[in-house]
Amino acid sequence: MATADVSVTDNRDTTTSSGYKSRKYILGVIVAALALVPVLQWQTTNNLNFWLNLLIIIFLWITMSTSWNIIGGYAGYISLGHNVFAAIGGYLAAMLLLRLDIPVFVTAPFAGLVAMVVGFVIGLITLRVRGPAFIISTIALVLVLRTIIDNWDFLGGVRGLTLPLIGLDVQLVKIPFYYAMLLVALLSIYFSYWIRHSKFGLGLRAISQDEIKAETAGIPTKMYKVLAYAASAFFIGVAGALWSQYVTFVDPGTYLIILFGARPVLMTLLGGKGTVAGPVVGAALVILATEFSESQFGGTELNVIGVGVVMIIVLLFFPDGLVGSLRRAGRLPALLDWD
Amino acid sequence: MSLLEIDGVVAGYGRGPDILRGVDLTVEEGEVQCIIGPNGAGKSTLLKTIAGLLRPRKGRVVFQGEVLNGLRPDQIIRRGIAFLPQERSLFPDMTVLENLRMGGYALEDKSLMSERIEEAFAQFPILKERYKQKARTLSGGQQQMLVMGRALVLRPHLVMLDEPSLGLAPQIVAQLFEIVRGFKDQGMTVLMVEQNARQGLNCADRGCVLDLGQRVFDGPADGILDDPRIQELYLGTQKKAETS
Amino acid sequence: MIADLPQIIVTGLALGGLYALMASGLTLIFGVMRIVNLAHPAFIFISAYITWKLFTDLSIDPLVALAVTMPVMFVFGMIVYKLFFAREADNPRYIEITVLTTFALALIIEGVLGFIFKGTVRSTNPPYSQQAFFIGDIFLSRAQLYAGLIGIGLIAFLWVILQYTRIGYAIRATTQNRSAAQVVGVNVERTSMIAFGLGVAMAGAAGSLFSFVFTFFPGGHWEWLAILLALIVLGGMGSLPGAVIGAYLLTIASVFVNDQIGFKWGPMTFFLALFIVLMVRPQGLFGSKIEAT
């Protein structure tokens, strides 16, 4: 029994097939196309702000779910409260903007660092427990922070903080956010990809399969978990900071509700937990579906129901998510096989 | 017709490989049969499959002429097969008396149950002394007595024991095999798996050797004990300490 | 200031019974199935809304409505179990899947309640909800007293079921050692279903009482989730007496915080207690370790 056969497989034996060769170029074209979308702003008489906004939201959630996937997917520690890091980033950037007049584009990386440090400290405390105890502790964390912010007038209390618009006209106002969010999303995906293929990532996946065996195999599980938790906080903090000025407010009712914490979990599950592409696919699908249903039916109740129903269907019938299920069936297109 | 007939049974855990690879085995009414074999031979898996905790992938388990495949464990126990697993399957926060009552859970007749509990107390006075104590506070030997007492309450047609001597002190092991013989005297048929092969076979009427998921030998217990090939392959020259 | 102490204790004791009832089903369900039922407060809210509907449309007293909500929620609970949890028993990702399933259920319930009843803050107001007793200077709301006493009464009833009936033996056996229960002939699937139903029936009873003691709106259950989790984590998850003791301790503590520090910090008592107990002593006062292997 003492043998440490942590069976983490690497599914890269198909890399040679033709789909994989062209993958790099196709992905490059997609990124280039995304980078060029704002240019069309000058080509059309109607501005593209609706589409830019939609893409910004998708980039935001890709960042959220991709980052969440590092601890929740690779390491298997389900956090229902990663929105605390978005709140930390958002509030920090908002305060620096309001008090010191530093734009969020400057403070966002700093907000990410702070979120990461806070994540490290919280991780040291909460990752000593696992299973249901850990999951519950992440909910407790959200509510503790929410109660503090609700009652802290310095941070605006329940009403939150209102931020000024950046001084650009309506044609241009979304563009800096578009590029910033796109950059953050791409970096977070690359970061996730890099972790997935590192020794560190291998260790995390061993932890998610059998922590005790991973420990006996010589993996410093404790430190790995805490680092994964902190790493997952970084880009969420950055995105939270950008988001605060994009929507021109931060308040506990937006950042610190359970639904915010649940969304990255849903997206990652839907797309495929523990895969690189899964959270990206999941985030895009959930946002498109949500925006569609909001424009068609309005009302947030239906959205809440929708999130719940999709989540249950995925859990009961496709626990490996889209990417995972397709791979299991051997039908995952090379374009989406980033693992 | 034999009491229990195992017919080409293939079984394993979850999506894992086959542990039992086509086992044939018969248990006759009223005998004590002891299954021996090396670790990983599938001895426990076989008992679990008969008890309904695992479903056979192939083959049949036939008890008193009825095919048991696909029945739930609680349905199988109602047909008269009790299984005492390796890990002492007690309810730690229940009292000794409550544990004995759980032993009779499958009995319909409650007055019969209290009668049998009294009989169990008569056979194991230590349990009577401690009937109000929680099971977790008993010593290892006492816990095994409680497990045996529970089997007495149900008094199944066939009782299956998985390594009953595991982790017990030598003098208690001797006492334990007495109790197993006692089961036979009370009209029960016994199918037992023992790592402690010599003592197990000494206590048994018939023996069976399982290796790599298949039956490789069976016959009268003393015949197995004397067979030089089996001695060399499965009994060792001396009794070995068990590992699991 | 500490002259308020008798008042604090009386209020805490009265409310504690209701809190304990709300938590009892949660701890039962965890004990038997190792499911952390994040939808438990949402179940309580379903019952509170049914009670509210019966009260406003048919003027049925919430205490009478209890006779409706308990059996309805019992059946509802068994159906939920059959639909979502019965097939998961052998899943290697059991904990993750079940927790997230209850989470999704809570979202669906929140959405459905919002859809039917809108976001308005509701409560029932039977006559006793505005009345109170005075014992010297001590004020005791009749609503809280009734809810507390009935809560404790129902927990005692549940305890008797667990301790003395056949299904009670089966439930306790399954809680303590699932495989051993199977081996002595307990149908653990059916037992789990009934236990889940019983736990949800307790939530049903709690919802009827809740409706005249507290106010509720569809999204309000999350806060209660953390409160209830705090009670059972402190008492030890899976332990019924633990839930009762946890409920009284934390209720009194939160009433004390309300009184001494400020009303808005009361809930923080539960959230912090939850966090600290999980980190320092995850098995709580009476439970066994809740970490999964």
Side-chain angles (χ1 to χ4, degrees):
Chain A
M1 286 302 284
T3 52
D5 58 326
V6 180
S7 56
V8 178
T9 49
D10 210 326
N11 309 310
R12 301 198 71 205
D13 43 349
T14 45
T15 324
T16 46
S17 69
S18 62
Y20 287 83
K21 282 181 192 153
S22 55
R23 177 180 62 176
K24 206 190 279 177
Y25 302 106
I26 299 176
L27 291 175
V29 168
I30 292 175
V31 170
L34 285 173
L36 289 174
V37 169
V39 176
L40 299 172
Q41 191 81 301
W42 289 278
Q43 298 292 315
T44 53
T45 41
N46 306 325
N47 69 51
L48 288 171
N49 279 357
F50 171 80
W51 297 103
L52 290 182
N53 179 54
L54 183 62
L55 285 167
I56 290 172
I57 296 173
I58 291 176
F59 299 155
L60 168 78
W61 287 103
I62 285 177
T63 309
M64 296 283 176
S65 52
T66 297
S67 301
W68 183 89
N69 190 40
I70 296 171
I71 183 77
Y74 299 157
Y77 275 72
I78 306 289
S79 162
L80 293 175
H82 256 46
N83 48 340
V84 295
F85 301 116
I88 288 168
Y91 270 94
L92 191 72
M95 289 307 278
L96 288 171
L97 179 66
L98 289 174
R99 304 271 155 162
L100 303 173
D101 217 16
I102 313 174
V104 292
F105 301 106
V106 179
T107 55
F110 175 64
L113 281 178
V114 171
M116 195 168 74
V117 172
V118 173
F120 187 82
V121 175
I122 293 175
L124 278 178
I125 304 168
T126 60
L127 286 160
R128 298 181 309 138
V129 297
R130 51 187 148 134
F134 176 78
I135 301 175
I136 297 169
S137 76
T138 62
I139 300 177
L141 204 63
V142 178
L143 288 158
V144 168
L145 187 64
R146 166 130 202 203
T147 314
I148 291 172
I149 291 184
D150 272 352
N151 295 305
W152 197 359
D153 292 333
F154 179 65
L155 294 178
V158 183
R159 288 164 57 202
L161 302 166
T162 307
L163 304 179
L165 278 163
I166 57 169
L168 293 171
D169 67 65
V170 71
Q171 285 278 343
L172 299 173
V173 71
K174 292 199 187 307
I175 292 176
F177 290 103
Y178 180 88
Y179 282 114
M181 230 26 133
L182 175 61
L183 181 66
V184 172
L186 290 174
L187 287 175
S188 69
I189 295 169
Y190 184 74
F191 186 51
S192 165
Y193 176 87
W194 175 74
I195 288 182
R196 175 69 172 72
H197 292 277
S198 67
K199 206 178 142 219
F200 174 55
L202 195 68
L204 293 181
R205 283 153 66 212
I207 289 172
S208 85
Q209 296 206 346
D210 190 329
E211 192 161 345
I212 294 156
K213 274 188 192 168
E215 180 96 51
T216 42
I219 293 164
T221 55
K222 170 94 194 165
M223 203 22 78
Y224 270 33
K225 286 187 293 180
V226 177
L227 284 177
Y229 194 76
S232 72
F234 178 78
F235 285 108
I236 294 185
V238 177
L242 293 173
W243 191 251
S244 70
Q245 200 182 9
Y246 181 64
V247 293
T248 69
F249 65 88
V250 277
D251 70 342
T254 313
Y255 278 77
L256 289 168
I257 53 170
I258 298 282
L259 200 57
F260 194 140
R263 262 190 162 182
V265 187
L266 168 71
M267 292 165 172
T268 311
L269 279 173
L270 176 65
K273 206 164 74 84
T275 65
V276 181
V280 179
V281 175
L285 285 179
V286 169
I287 293 304
L288 290 175
T290 312
E291 295 294 316
F292 176 76
S293 92
E294 254 171 24
S295 66
Q296 294 296 304
F297 312 109
T300 50
E301 287 90 9
L302 281 173
N303 265 317
V304 178
I305 298 174
V307 169
V309 170
V310 173
M311 199 160 170
I312 285 201
I313 291 172
V314 171
L315 284 166
L316 293 184
F317 302 108
F318 313 101
D320 297 323
L322 286 172
V323 171
S325 301
L326 286 174
R327 169 171 300 138
R328 177 162 287 193
R331 315 188 72 148
L332 182 66
L335 189 62
L336 287 177
D337 190 0
W338 304 350
D339 293 330
Chain B
M1 187 179 69
S2 307
L3 182 66
L4 178 75
E5 288 174 34
I6 313 289
D7 202 3
V9 162
V10 176
Y13 299 87
R15 289 182 185 171
D18 294 340
I19 307 288
L20 302 180
R21 303 184 307 147
V23 174
D24 300 307
L25 185 98
T26 54
V27 179
E28 304 299 332
E29 178 85 51
E31 71 174 357
V32 174
Q33 183 170 160
C34 180
I35 304 173
I36 63 166
N39 280 330
K43 297 172 303 221
S44 300
T45 310
L46 178 60
L47 296 194
K48 281 181 193 162
T49 309
I50 299 169
L53 296 167
L54 277 181
R55 293 196 166 203
R57 291 170 180 169
K58 272 186 209 150
R60 295 193 311 164
V61 178
V62 184
F63 183 69
Q64 293 183 309
E66 185 192 3
V67 179
L68 299 185
N69 291 26
L71 292 183
R72 290 192 310 266
D74 58 294
Q75 293 171 318
I76 287 175
I77 200 170
R78 278 183 181 76
R79 282 159 177 75
I81 302 180
F83 173 47
L84 314 188
Q86 205 173 92
E87 59 287 350
R88 303 214 173 85
S89 53
L90 291 173
F91 304 106
D93 289 321
M94 287 191 178
T95 63
V96 167
L97 181 61
E98 285 175 322
N99 265 284
L100 288 172
R101 286 207 180 117
M102 280 314 295
Y105 185 85
L107 288 177
E108 302 296 330
D109 184 346
K110 292 302 134 188
S111 64
L112 182 66
M113 178 165 88
S114 359
E115 209 176 282
R116 297 241 181 107
I117 288 177
E118 282 311 314
E119 287 174 28
F121 278 152
Q123 190 171 344
F124 304 108
I126 186 79
L127 296 182
K128 180 155 197 175
E129 263 170 50
R130 316 213 157 183
Y131 79 99
K132 267 188 163 171
Q133 244 171 275
K134 295 222 162 131
R136 65 159 81 248
T137 65
L138 300 180
S139 72
Q142 289 163 354
Q143 290 188 353
Q144 191 60 290
M145 296 301 132
L146 182 50
V147 171
M148 295 291 175
R150 234 172 40 186
L152 277 180
V153 175
L154 183 62
R155 208 154 302 178
H157 205 126
L158 170 68
V159 55
M160 302 190 295
L161 300 96
D162 192 359
E163 307 222 14
S165 74
L166 193 72
L168 295 180
Q171 65 272 32
I172 299 182
V173 171
Q175 201 186 337
L176 177 102
F177 286 121
E178 295 273 302
I179 298 168
V180 173
R181 291 301 295 183
F183 283 172
K184 177 186 162 129
D185 300 338
Q186 277 155 318
M188 291 180 244
T189 305
V190 178
L191 178 62
M192 163 171 74
V193 162
E194 255 304 334
Q195 191 68 31
N196 201 338
R198 279 171 194 284
Q199 276 181 287
L201 286 170
N202 267 325
C203 157
D205 304 311
R206 211 149 66 94
C208 157
V209 183
L210 212 60
D211 197 358
L212 294 171
Q214 281 174 324
R215 188 194 59 181
V216 293
F217 189 87
D218 76 332
D222 35 3
I224 293 185
L225 276 168
D226 296 337
D227 188 314
R229 281 177 311 148
I230 291 175
Q231 272 184 355
E232 190 191 333
L233 279 171
Y234 300 110
L235 295 174
T237 39
Q238 270 181 316
K239 197 186 80 182
K240 283 185 189 159
E242 292 84 35
T243 49
S244 71
Chain C
M1 283 300 250
I2 216 74
D4 297 342
L5 201 59
Q7 176 69 60
I8 290 168
I9 290 174
V10 166
T11 310
L13 285 176
L15 276 177
L18 176 57
Y19 278 63
L21 180 66
M22 286 161 56
S24 61
L26 189 60
T27 208
L28 178 71
I29 288 170
F30 180 81
V32 178
M33 275 148 290
R34 306 285 133 169
I35 292 174
V36 183
N37 180 20
L38 301 184
H40 204 73
F43 291 161
I44 293 173
F45 273 40
I46 294 179
S47 162
Y49 274 105
I50 295 176
T51 309
W52 176 81
K53 194 77 184 148
L54 292 174
F55 181 77
T56 46
D57 288 5
L58 305 169
S59 331
I60 294 174
D61 189 294
L63 296 178
V64 179
L66 204 132
V68 177
T69 53
M70 270 188 90
V72 166
M73 294 304 283
F74 178 68
V75 174
F76 175 72
M78 294 202 293
I79 294 172
V80 165
Y81 177 81
K82 264 286 176 211
L83 283 178
F84 302 115
F85 302 111
R87 301 180 308 153
E88 300 295 327
D90 299 320
N91 194 324
R93 283 163 66 194
Y94 179 79
I95 301 229
E96 177 196 329
I97 300 271
T98 54
V99 169
L100 291 174
T101 303
T102 63
F103 186 84
L105 274 176
L107 287 175
I108 295 173
I109 292 168
E110 177 181 337
V112 171
L113 290 177
F115 195 70
I116 303 176
F117 298 103
K118 307 296 168 240
T120 321
V121 176
R122 312 277 189 195
S123 71
T124 57
N125 50 346
Y128 45 84
S129 69
Q130 279 101 25
Q131 296 166 347
F133 301 107
F134 285 91
I135 313 155
D137 289 344
I138 299 172
F139 164 90
L140 176 56
S141 141
R142 280 179 69 171
Q144 288 177 8
L145 179 69
Y146 290 175
L149 289 178
I150 293 171
I152 281 304
L154 285 170
I155 289 176
F157 174 66
L158 177 63
W159 190 80
V160 168
I161 291 181
L162 291 178
Q163 216 60 29
Y164 299 108
T165 65
R166 184 172 164 82
I167 183 68
Y169 268 81
I171 290 175
R172 281 192 294 144
T174 309
T175 303
Q176 292 176 28
N177 189 340
R178 197 179 177 89
S179 68
Q182 231 172 359
V183 158
V184 297
V186 174
N187 181 345
V188 293
E189 268 305 310
R190 191 172 148 268
T191 303
S192 296
M193 183 178 78
I194 293 173
F196 202 94
L198 271 177
V200 179
M202 286 291 154
S208 291
L209 302 175
F210 184 96
S211 75
F212 61 81
V213 177
F214 298 106
T215 57
F216 46 94
F217 63 98
H221 62 109
W222 295 113
E223 182 169 330
W224 284 100
L225 173 63
I227 291 176
L228 300 188
L229 285 172
L231 308 182
I232 70 164
V233 166
L234 176 63
M237 290 186 77
S239 158
L240 189 58
V244 175
I245 290 167
Y248 281 117
L249 283 178
L250 282 184
T251 314
I252 293 173
S254 82
V255 175
F256 181 82
V257 170
N258 276 339
D259 189 76
Q260 299 288 314
I261 300 174
F263 198 69
K264 50 193 187 179
W265 294 104
M268 192 70 156
T269 324
F270 297 100
F271 307 153
L272 268 183
L274 173 58
F275 194 70
I276 293 168
V277 175
L278 279 174
M279 293 308 131
V280 178
R281 194 180 156 82
Q283 71 273 38
L285 297 174
F286 302 98
S288 45
K289 283 225 170 201
I290 59 172
E291 292 183 17
T293 47

